[in-house]
Amino acid sequence: MYQIDFHKPEYLHFIGIGGISMSGLAEILLDAGFRISGSDAKASPLTKSLEDKGATIMIGQAAGNINADINCVVYTAAIHPDNPEWRAAHEMGIPMLTRAELLGELMRNYDTPIAVAGTHGKTTTTSMASHVLMQADMDPTISVGGILPSIGGNIRIGKSQTFITEACEYTNSYHSFLPKIEIILNVDADHLDFFKDIDDIAASFHKFAQILPEDGTLIVSKDFPTYHAVVDGLNCNLVTCSLKEDADYTAADIAFDKNGFASFTCVERGTAIGSFSLKVPGIHNVSNALTVIALARLLKIDAETIRKGILSYTGTDRRFEYKGSLQGATIIDDYAHHPTEIAATLKAAANYPHKKLWVAFQPHTYTRTKALLPEFAEALSLADHVVLAKIYPARETDTLGISSDDLRKLIEERGTKAEYYDTFPALEEYMKSQLSEGDLLITMGAGNIVEVGEDLLKD
């Protein structure tokens, strides 16, 4: 595999440079003196930012974008051999790396590379940990899968030897990473268009953990059923966290304020090390915070600095993000697109001030919707009223005979009111006719459902 050396800047071309992870990697390399070009289907604030920093951006993908001066081509999992740039690079014999392979190569250049994995909570936990690292003046390089207001985007380039990034399990891409510290938050059934079942997913996380060197450390929650399948037989150091049982890090005296924000006492190997308060809602974020505390203590950060760092984290875009108020109703947007995430968000919302809880949900991919249809219905039934949009297909074209109306029927069978609208304008008109003083509307999903709340607030 082609190896990247920070000390010998080269010319790299990115196919799909506008993606949130690809753009961040390109920015890190630009800062290190590399010559960068890239293509994408359309211009965006991320591609404009890269242009401003010196990258050459092509809109549209064509064989002519590839030239013999390029030392290496980087591409995303969405790019296949029929892509004209991929094909041209292959025919010209130019070395190629996937996005994940490049990220693994970058990790070689840091003394302390940290990867945050898990089916749910990666962006939140990476962001919360980043706040703690910055509070401790560790000057980290950060790559996060969302927009983090405190760093003004999805990337922060530090000058230290600490690097923190998310690690996504889809297509086993994180198996190309080379971390020395890993966090595994949870393991759940998802991406079933790629994985066979939950056992296959657990085996994937186990292989990810096996990447760690013997002097590396895995920080892991014990609160998921396949915990032992993930950790058994590992040679690295193991640090455990739990809300339910004995572990290295646990939480006591958990309480919620009027906004659904938790405070708790962290117990480190049997000794209370202090009280911590969150500015993001839900019990799931207490679990995320425990892993952040465990990471910080491993890095020898004192409890008071950790407390300040966690308290300073108020969320990333599309994670229980306040959007505004309409007709006296509060509008929140959330990225939840898996039943476990939906349930966690709606349980958090139960502690948030409201009279009636509305959810405008857009299912994400036909595969996920069909595989987890009863689980989606059960999770969404935690709301008072559900309004469904059409399934967002993402990378898929086959509907598999499933639609949002199938989900509506199951939700109503559970006694929760539900509607389905196949266009956003129709959904928005309905919401305008229904929302009243004190209501809470959460627009929810990984597609473009956020536009619904934003459109409502324009009126």
Side-chain angles (χ1 to χ4, degrees), residues 295-412:
L295 170 66
R297 297 292 277 182
L298 179 67
L299 299 175
K300 304 190 184 309
I301 301 174
D302 65 90
E304 178 61 16
T305 300
I306 300 169
R307 187 189 67 78
K308 290 179 179 177
I310 287 176
L311 189 62
S312 72
Y313 173 65
T314 57
T316 47
D317 286 6
R318 304 221 58 211
R319 272 71 178 180
F320 213 86
E321 180 187 5
Y322 174 80
K323 303 296 286 189
S325 179
L326 174 70
Q327 299 165 189
T330 299
I331 299 178
I332 298 286
D333 182 62
D334 196 89
Y335 190 70
H337 57 284
H338 183 281
T340 301
E341 297 166 352
I342 293 166
T345 297
L346 296 184
K347 287 174 182 175
N351 292 308
Y352 194 90
H354 69 277
K355 291 181 179 178
K356 186 174 184 179
L357 175 57
W358 293 81
V359 174
F361 178 65
Q362 180 187 45
H364 190 266
T365 74
Y366 304 110
T367 302
R368 183 183 284 115
T369 306
K370 185 168 185 175
L372 302 172
L373 193 67
E375 291 86 352
F376 274 115
E378 183 177 355
L380 287 164
S381 295
L382 293 170
D384 296 316
H385 204 131
V386 180
V387 186
L388 298 164
K390 284 180 70 172
I391 295 172
Y392 188 85
R395 55 191 171 268
E396 299 180 346
T397 55
D398 187 347
T399 67
L400 304 177
I402 197 77
S403 81
S404 292
D405 199 49
D406 298 308
L407 180 54
R408 178 194 63 78
K409 293 172 184 175
L410 283 185
I411 294 170
E412 290 197 326

Side-chain angles (χ1 to χ4, degrees), residues 22 24 27 30 43 52 131 195 220 233 251 386 399 438:
M22 288 279 274
E27 185 173 339
L30 276 169
D52 292 344
H131 270 246
F195 295 110
V220 59
V386 180
T399 67

Side-chain angles (χ1 to χ4, degrees), residues 195-214:
F195 295 110
K196 291 183 293 187
D197 51 30
I198 187 63
D199 292 333
D200 190 28
I201 297 169
S204 173
F205 276 92
H206 179 71
K207 186 173 180 180
F208 172 62
Q210 285 179 312
I211 294 168
L212 286 165
E214 287 191 16

